[in-house]
Amino acid sequence: FEGEHTMIVAGSTSNEVGFETVIRGHKGNLYIGGSFTTVGGLVRNRLALISTNDGSVTLSFSNNINNTVRALALGDYLYIGGEFTNVAYFGSPNNQRIGVAAVNPTSGALYSGFMADTTTNGGTGTGTGATNVNALLLNGSSLYVAGLFHTITNSDTSTYQRLGVAKVDATTGNVDPTF
């Protein structure tokens, strides 16, 4: 993999730096997340899929995330965690997802059935009081979410106090109230 990594980083512009996390995909390719807005000269706002064969960006995988991606986990979906408040598939409207989201691992499209928005006492988004998901762990049908947040909200708008760690259903994002 060293050669491919060199190809990605070599000749980087200021928009191509800021890789934060990497995870191997189902077909051996690599998902990368961070604060970058381009990879290999192509617009890839904070999340990209890279071929391990030649280091190229997978063109069929795209999305638009409005802030840094810090954590990745892969199962039936690609779970992303970070400092973002919106996740959009190119050509579709923005969709609010705060701190954690699930996307299609092939296309990058947001999976709308999963919602587990994180918030802090100071609010959401970037800056003072920002939510920040730093770690994700997929274990069977559960996704563990860890970072700087105080509450997590399900798709049914139920909100749970969770000081920096929560266990959610990997399909729906519903919080496990027993954890």
Side-chain angles (χ1 to χ4, degrees), residues 3-175:
E4 285 78 21
H5 187 267
T6 302
M7 290 173 60
I8 295 167
V9 176
S12 295
T13 67
S14 62
N15 294 331
E16 290 182 322
V17 296
F19 297 104
E20 300 272 339
T21 184
V22 63
I23 190 170
R24 184 175 285 285
H26 292 302
K27 297 178 182 176
N29 294 328
L30 300 176
Y31 294 97
I32 59 171
S35 59
F36 55 85
T37 56
T38 61
V39 177
L42 300 171
V43 174
R44 290 295 182 267
N45 288 319
R46 299 162 190 93
L47 183 64
L49 179 59
I50 307 298
S51 167
T52 54
N53 290 330
D54 61 7
S56 65
V57 176
T58 302
L59 299 178
S60 60
F61 181 87
S62 64
N63 50 52
N64 185 20
I65 300 168
N66 74 332
N67 209 334
T68 304
V69 171
R70 297 199 180 277
L72 299 171
L74 184 62
D76 291 338
Y77 305 101
L78 175 64
Y79 300 93
I80 59 176
E83 299 175 32
F84 52 84
T85 57
N86 276 292
V87 176
Y89 185 62
F90 285 111
S92 70
N94 286 341
N95 293 284
Q96 178 177 304
R97 291 295 185 273
I98 302 171
V100 64
V103 300
N104 180 300
T106 303
S107 68
L110 179 71
Y111 170 54
S112 61
F114 179 91
M115 185 171 172
D117 284 350
T118 59
T119 57
T120 65
N121 291 338
T124 62
T126 61
T128 304
T131 186
N132 190 351
V133 173
N134 294 316
L136 298 171
L137 174 67
L138 185 63
N139 184 17
S141 62
S142 298
L143 180 69
Y144 293 87
V145 180
L148 174 62
F149 58 89
H150 295 103
T151 62
I152 191 162
T153 304
N154 292 342
S155 58
D156 69 359
T157 68
S158 297
T159 299
Y160 296 86
Q161 290 287 335
R162 296 293 185 265
L163 298 178
V165 66
K167 178 183 176 184
V168 302
D169 181 276
T171 302
T172 64
N174 288 340
V175 175

